[in-house]
Amino acid sequence: MDIEKEKTFKMLFEKHYQQLYQHALSFMKDEETAKDIVNDVFLFFGENFDRFSNSTLYLSLLYTLVRNHCIDHLRHYDVEDKYIQYLKFAFTEEDIDYYTQYQELLDEAFKRLNALPKQAREVVYACLVEGKNYKEVAEQMGISPNTVKNHIVQSLSKMRKETENSKKKSFYIVFFYPFLVL
């Protein structure tokens, strides 16, 4: 931006900031948000000042930019508010408890999965989590499909025994039941 344009921009900022702030405040009803919007508009205006050639329209352009930023902000806030309201009514406390318990069970399952030896862990993860079949895993790891099957059987057996000794017996069902139809 050359010196004359910089002086024009500075003059617009100093002379019209308060008016534009009041304009934004009429939409937003929140002082900090209104200030942020006017600052964002001036930042945008300053960065793109060279694109605006008609100096007689600067003020109307600034008012339009402030109005549009306010409307965008209100739309965004409205969407957020509707989503929050949806979440409040969509999920009961029972749903939240279920989700929390389910998440705890998944964490327990992955903890036990990570405790397996490296190759067994990789095989179980590929088959049960990624959904690959024995043949795909065997080719990927350079082992036989029968070795893949043995890793699965031994790992699930080990995890099942650990589960029987644990208070969290339902984790096995929650995590592995869908995959047992291999």
Side-chain angles (χ1 to χ4, degrees), residues 23-78:
H23 185 58
L25 193 58
S26 71
F27 283 96
M28 302 312 299
K29 311 293 187 230
D30 175 51
E31 293 178 2
E32 288 302 313
T33 305
K35 285 179 185 177
D36 289 344
I37 287 173
V38 174
N39 288 336
D40 289 347
V41 165
F42 269 109
L43 182 65
F44 173 80
F45 188 70
E47 290 172 349
N48 296 286
F49 194 78
D50 293 333
R51 292 178 38 201
F52 309 118
S53 58
N54 191 345
S55 62
T56 59
L57 300 177
Y58 285 157
L59 188 57
S60 63
L61 176 63
L62 286 169
Y63 270 96
T64 302
L65 288 170
V66 167
R67 185 194 73 221
N68 290 345
H69 272 72
C70 287
I71 291 170
D72 288 346
H73 188 277
L74 290 170
R75 280 187 189 136
H76 178 74
Y77 180 78
D78 189 44

Side-chain angles (χ1 to χ4, degrees), residues 49-140:
F49 194 78
D50 293 333
R51 292 178 38 201
F52 309 118
S53 58
N54 191 345
S55 62
T56 59
L57 300 177
Y58 285 157
L59 188 57
S60 63
L61 176 63
L62 286 169
Y63 270 96
T64 302
L65 288 170
V66 167
R67 185 194 73 221
N68 290 345
H69 272 72
C70 287
I71 291 170
D72 288 346
H73 188 277
L74 290 170
R75 280 187 189 136
H76 178 74
Y77 180 78
D78 189 44
V79 167
E80 274 184 0
D81 190 47
K82 285 179 181 176
Y83 183 68
I84 289 169
Q85 293 303 321
Y86 165 75
L87 289 177
K88 284 181 182 177
F89 294 108
F91 299 106
T92 64
E93 196 154 322
E94 185 178 292
D95 293 333
I96 293 169
D97 288 344
Y98 173 78
Y99 174 76
T100 304
Q101 290 173 349
Y102 185 77
Q103 191 62 45
E104 288 172 3
L105 295 173
L106 281 177
D107 291 344
E108 182 72 20
F110 277 107
K111 186 173 108 183
R112 291 187 184 174
L113 179 65
N114 288 329
L116 294 172
K118 184 178 188 254
Q119 190 172 31
R121 179 178 56 244
E122 289 173 358
V123 167
V124 171
Y125 188 85
C127 289
L128 302 184
V129 178
E130 294 176 353
K132 295 180 180 177
N133 63 36
Y134 292 173
K135 185 178 179 184
E136 291 173 324
V137 175
E139 289 173 3
Q140 176 185 339

